[in-house]
Amino acid sequence: MRAFGVIRAASLTLMLSGGAAQAQAPAGSESLDLICVGSDAALMAMTPYRNSIGAPHFGGVYYGEARVPAQLGVRVENGQVRVKPPKSAVPLFAKDAKDGWYVLADVAVDRLSIKGRLKWNRIDRSSLTVDRRNGAVTFGDFAGVCQQAAASADTTKF
């Protein structure tokens, strides 16, 4: 009985001392894959509008920002966090990605959150924040909710 208490205390100490610098995947798995669905800001060109009597007003092209549906992928594996952003989130002069996945820097993974930063180029930067309690995610202008993806390729959801 006493040995069980010692082992339990040691495992609790190890869990608490893990800290934010060490990636912690869910129990029994080596990696964590998340699929996040939400919306992203996109630059849109708006065509000339019509005035109050219905005649077209040709004042040029107007540019604005609109929210568009988007999907974000997050992968935590071996202490490394990678992200697959929607195409609308990638800046024009972004560095190349391996199969669309970008490796994050300044990673902090703990029991309640996943955080990291991505340097797209010399100017553009985005930060990732995933709340592991409710699945809320933000990455640059993207905002959405994450769900855990299937562990194996042949696993079905329903």
Side-chain angles (χ1 to χ4, degrees):
M1 186 75 150
R2 180 181 165 114
F4 177 72
V6 171
I7 293 171
R8 187 173 171 193
S11 65
L12 181 62
T13 304
L14 285 174
M15 284 192 313
L16 294 176
S17 67
Q22 192 176 39
Q24 298 174 0
S29 69
E30 297 178 1
S31 66
L32 174 66
D33 288 324
L34 301 174
I35 297 174
C36 309
V37 178
S39 64
D40 192 25
L43 183 65
M44 301 188 80
M46 294 179 250
T47 58
Y49 60 91
R50 296 186 179 272
N51 62 14
S52 61
I53 59 173
H57 174 72
F58 296 103
V61 176
Y62 300 96
Y63 295 96
E65 192 174 272
R67 302 295 295 179
V68 295
Q71 183 174 330
L72 174 78
V74 178
R75 180 172 290 157
V76 179
E77 190 172 38
N78 299 328
Q80 184 180 43
V81 178
R82 296 187 302 159
V83 65
K84 186 172 187 177
K87 296 218 184 269
S88 58
V90 180
L92 184 60
F93 297 108
K95 62 182 177 181
D96 292 334
K98 184 177 180 181
D99 298 332
W101 291 90
Y102 292 88
V103 177
L104 299 181
D106 300 330
V107 174
V109 180
D110 60 16
R111 192 175 66 82
L112 299 177
S113 66
I114 300 170
K115 296 182 180 183
R117 292 184 324 135
L118 176 61
K119 184 177 177 184
W120 296 103
N121 51 38
R122 291 181 184 229
I123 299 170
D124 299 314
R125 288 163 177 69
S126 295
S127 60
L128 172 77
T129 304
V130 179
D131 187 346
R132 295 180 79 170
R133 293 171 288 186
N134 58 17
V137 62
T138 58
F139 180 73
D141 291 329
F142 177 87
V145 177
C146 294
Q147 291 184 357
Q148 188 170 355
S152 64
D154 60 343
T155 305
T156 59
K157 187 167 185 170
F158 50 88

